[in-house]
Amino acid sequence: MAQWKIDKEVDYEIFELGDLKLQKGMTLPNAKLAYKTFGRLNADKSNVIVLLTYMASTHYDNQWVIREGGALDPSKYFIVIPNIFGNGLSSSPTNTPPPYNKARFPHVTYYDNIKAQHRLLTEKFGITKIKMVTGWSMAAAQTFHWAALYPDMVETICPTAGSAKTAKHNHVMLEGVKAALTADDAFKDGWYDEQPFKGLRAMGRVYAGWGFSQEFFRKEEYLELGYASVEDFIVGYWEQWFNLRDANNMVTMIRTWQSGDISDNELYNGDFRKALAAIKARAIVMPGDCDLYFPPEDSAFEVEHMPNAELRPFRSSHGHFAGGSGLREADVKFLDEAWRELLGA
């Protein structure tokens, strides 16, 4: 994964949402959606791809998949990357003024994110059709939400290593991650003045046991990534990744993840099967075959209840990270082929 570059030159735009009424009953004043676009919107606005951001990422971390000659070719498509709430660029605990800053930042859901993103596409660009929505992990969950909330707008989807509804086991895993972060006394219930780095490092160590598969460690594949040992991998990859983050932002995104459910809204009233059946988009659903967050069995249930979906798992020792890290060339090629198929390229 690329480093989070929010301290670099600003190369994105802000869509002003005004006072945003949230799904869980709060209002986020002067809400902002950060986004970046690549390519040009064609005359009939039929070349739109929405590429979504995942946990602890911004658009910077997605840009590596956008390249001429690749499936997501900016010379052919208008690619929009909206930043998820809580990631430090869109409205987040770190950039929202009192009284909604830090620990008082309200609970935002995937529903809130997709409603805001829909406003960006329709109000800013006049877009009525999306050729493809795609993304990894939390971005895959947003992809499912797009297809369920706007079934007549989204033509194809490719969610990788994510789910339409957060499973109970996944919820429990995230509780462990969150507990490791917030147990640091320096966290101060979210009212810290300096980052609780002990908690952030602990969070990274908990995540380290989930992101890659048992086979990855058994075969010592971390050596192929340039790390000298398991400990070197934990410190240099996992601790470093979370050391670059803000703790309250992380808690915000975890809460969004934990409450994920495409049927938790006024359209479906909690009927998960009905929400899956309402998805009209052609879908290639791509779990990792040994993903410890999102097992392929969960994806198989989703595909079974979607009318135009195919299950196409990654065969990769990289587990959850097969779907979005770019660390294994075979995984990148496998994903690129699926995108090309959906795009008719």
Side-chain angles (χ1 to χ4, degrees), residues 149-180:
L149 291 172
Y150 299 102
D152 293 320
M153 186 175 184
V154 178
E155 296 177 357
T156 69
I157 61 170
C158 187
T160 65
S163 64
K165 181 178 181 178
T166 301
K168 292 181 175 64
H169 182 261
N170 192 196
H171 181 96
V172 171
M173 182 275 284
L174 291 167
E175 281 297 297
V177 169
K178 184 169 58 178

Coordinates of all heavy atoms in Angstrom, one line a residue, residues 149-180:
L149 N -28.8 0.8 -3.8 CA -29.5 2.0 -3.6 C -29.9 2.7 -4.9 O -30.9 3.4 -5.0 CB -28.6 3.0 -2.8 CG -28.4 2.6 -1.3 CD1 -27.4 3.5 -0.7 CD2 -29.7 2.6 -0.6
Y150 N -29.1 2.4 -6.0 CA -29.3 3.0 -7.3 C -29.3 2.0 -8.4 O -28.4 2.0 -9.3 CB -28.4 4.2 -7.5 CG -28.5 5.3 -6.5 CD1 -27.6 5.4 -5.5 CD2 -29.5 6.2 -6.6 CE1 -27.7 6.4 -4.5 CE2 -29.7 7.2 -5.6 CZ -28.8 7.3 -4.6 OH -28.9 8.3 -3.7
P151 N -30.1 1.0 -8.3 CA -30.1 -0.2 -9.3 C -30.2 0.2 -10.7 O -29.7 -0.5 -11.6 CB -31.2 -1.1 -8.8 CG -32.1 -0.2 -8.0 CD -31.3 0.8 -7.4
D152 N -30.9 1.3 -11.0 CA -31.2 1.7 -12.4 C -30.0 2.6 -12.9 O -30.0 2.9 -14.1 CB -32.5 2.5 -12.6 CG -33.7 1.6 -12.3 OD1 -33.6 0.4 -12.7 OD2 -34.6 2.0 -11.6
M153 N -29.1 3.0 -12.1 CA -28.0 3.9 -12.5 C -26.7 3.1 -12.7 O -25.9 3.5 -13.6 CB -27.8 4.9 -11.4 CG -26.8 6.0 -11.7 SD -26.8 7.3 -10.4 CE -25.6 8.4 -11.1
V154 N -26.5 2.0 -12.0 CA -25.3 1.3 -12.0 C -25.3 0.1 -13.0 O -26.2 -0.8 -12.8 CB -24.9 0.8 -10.6 CG1 -23.6 0.0 -10.6 CG2 -24.8 2.0 -9.7
E155 N -24.5 0.1 -14.0 CA -24.5 -0.9 -15.0 C -23.8 -2.2 -14.6 O -24.2 -3.3 -14.9 CB -24.0 -0.4 -16.4 CG -24.9 0.8 -16.9 CD -24.3 1.4 -18.2 OE1 -23.2 1.0 -18.6 OE2 -25.0 2.2 -18.8
T156 N -22.6 -2.0 -14.1 CA -21.8 -3.2 -13.6 C -21.1 -2.8 -12.3 O -20.8 -1.7 -12.0 CB -20.7 -3.5 -14.7 OG1 -19.7 -2.5 -14.8 CG2 -21.3 -3.8 -16.1
I157 N -20.8 -3.9 -11.6 CA -20.0 -3.7 -10.3 C -19.0 -4.8 -10.2 O -19.1 -5.9 -10.7 CB -20.9 -3.7 -9.1 CG1 -21.7 -5.0 -8.9 CG2 -21.9 -2.5 -9.1 CD1 -22.4 -5.2 -7.6
C158 N -17.9 -4.5 -9.5 CA -16.8 -5.4 -9.2 C -16.3 -5.2 -7.8 O -15.3 -4.5 -7.6 CB -15.7 -5.3 -10.2 SG -14.5 -6.6 -10.1
P159 N -17.1 -5.7 -6.8 CA -16.6 -5.6 -5.5 C -15.5 -6.7 -5.2 O -15.7 -7.9 -5.4 CB -17.9 -5.9 -4.6 CG -18.7 -6.7 -5.5 CD -18.4 -6.4 -6.9
T160 N -14.4 -6.3 -4.6 CA -13.3 -7.2 -4.4 C -13.0 -7.3 -2.9 O -12.9 -6.2 -2.2 CB -12.0 -6.8 -5.1 OG1 -11.5 -5.6 -4.6 CG2 -12.3 -6.7 -6.6
A161 N -13.0 -8.5 -2.3 CA -12.7 -8.7 -0.9 C -13.5 -7.8 0.0 O -13.0 -7.1 0.9 CB -11.2 -8.4 -0.7
G162 N -14.8 -7.9 -0.1 CA -15.7 -7.1 0.8 C -17.1 -7.8 0.8 O -17.3 -8.8 0.1
S163 N -18.0 -7.1 1.5 CA -19.3 -7.8 1.7 C -20.4 -6.7 1.6 O -20.2 -5.5 1.8 CB -19.4 -8.5 3.0 OG -19.3 -7.5 4.1
A164 N -21.6 -7.2 1.3 CA -22.8 -6.4 1.2 C -23.4 -6.2 2.6 O -24.2 -5.2 2.8 CB -23.9 -7.0 0.3
K165 N -23.0 -7.0 3.6 CA -23.4 -6.9 5.0 C -22.3 -7.4 5.9 O -21.8 -8.5 5.7 CB -24.7 -7.7 5.2 CG -25.3 -7.6 6.6 CD -26.6 -8.4 6.7 CE -27.2 -8.3 8.1 NZ -28.4 -9.1 8.2
T166 N -21.9 -6.6 6.8 CA -20.8 -7.0 7.7 C -21.2 -8.1 8.6 O -22.2 -8.1 9.3 CB -20.4 -5.8 8.6 OG1 -20.0 -4.7 7.8 CG2 -19.3 -6.2 9.5
A167 N -20.5 -9.2 8.5 CA -20.8 -10.4 9.2 C -20.5 -10.3 10.7 O -19.6 -9.4 11.0 CB -20.0 -11.6 8.6
K168 N -21.1 -11.1 11.5 CA -20.9 -11.0 13.0 C -19.4 -11.3 13.3 O -18.8 -10.6 14.2 CB -21.8 -11.9 13.7 CG -23.3 -11.5 13.7 CD -24.1 -12.5 14.4 CE -25.6 -12.0 14.5 NZ -26.2 -12.0 13.1
H169 N -18.8 -12.2 12.6 CA -17.4 -12.6 12.9 C -16.5 -11.4 12.5 O -15.6 -11.1 13.2 CB -17.0 -13.8 12.1 CG -15.6 -14.2 12.3 ND1 -14.6 -13.9 11.4 CD2 -15.0 -14.9 13.3 CE1 -13.4 -14.4 11.9 NE2 -13.7 -15.0 13.1
N170 N -16.8 -10.7 11.4 CA -16.1 -9.6 11.0 C -16.2 -8.4 12.0 O -15.3 -7.7 12.3 CB -16.6 -9.1 9.6 CG -15.7 -8.1 8.9 OD1 -16.1 -7.4 8.0 ND2 -14.4 -7.9 9.4
H171 N -17.4 -8.3 12.5 CA -17.7 -7.3 13.6 C -16.8 -7.5 14.8 O -16.2 -6.6 15.3 CB -19.2 -7.3 14.0 CG -19.5 -6.3 15.0 ND1 -20.1 -5.1 14.7 CD2 -19.4 -6.3 16.4 CE1 -20.3 -4.4 15.8 NE2 -19.9 -5.1 16.8
V172 N -16.7 -8.8 15.2 CA -15.9 -9.2 16.3 C -14.4 -8.9 16.1 O -13.7 -8.4 17.0 CB -16.1 -10.6 16.7 CG1 -15.1 -11.1 17.8 CG2 -17.6 -10.9 17.2
M173 N -13.9 -9.2 14.9 CA -12.5 -8.9 14.5 C -12.3 -7.4 14.7 O -11.2 -7.0 15.3 CB -12.3 -9.3 13.1 CG -10.8 -9.1 12.6 SD -10.5 -7.5 12.0 CE -11.2 -7.5 10.4
L174 N -13.2 -6.6 14.2 CA -13.0 -5.1 14.3 C -13.1 -4.6 15.7 O -12.4 -3.6 16.1 CB -14.1 -4.4 13.4 CG -13.9 -4.6 11.9 CD1 -15.1 -4.2 11.2 CD2 -12.7 -3.9 11.4
E175 N -13.8 -5.3 16.6 CA -13.8 -4.9 18.0 C -12.5 -5.1 18.6 O -12.0 -4.3 19.4 CB -14.9 -5.8 18.8 CG -16.3 -5.3 18.6 CD -16.5 -3.9 19.2 OE1 -16.3 -3.7 20.4 OE2 -16.8 -3.0 18.4
G176 N -11.8 -6.2 18.2 CA -10.4 -6.4 18.7 C -9.5 -5.3 18.2 O -8.6 -4.8 19.0
V177 N -9.6 -4.9 17.0 CA -8.7 -3.9 16.4 C -9.0 -2.6 17.1 O -8.1 -1.9 17.5 CB -9.0 -3.8 14.9 CG1 -8.4 -2.5 14.3 CG2 -8.5 -5.0 14.1
K178 N -10.3 -2.2 17.3 CA -10.6 -1.0 18.0 C -10.2 -1.0 19.4 O -9.7 0.1 19.9 CB -12.1 -0.8 17.8 CG -12.7 0.5 18.4 CD -14.1 0.8 18.0 CE -15.0 -0.4 18.5 NZ -16.5 -0.1 18.1
A179 N -10.3 -2.1 20.1 CA -9.9 -2.2 21.5 C -8.4 -2.0 21.7 O -8.0 -1.3 22.6 CB -10.3 -3.5 22.1
A180 N -7.6 -2.5 20.7 CA -6.2 -2.3 20.8 C -5.8 -0.9 20.7 O -4.9 -0.4 21.3 CB -5.5 -3.1 19.7

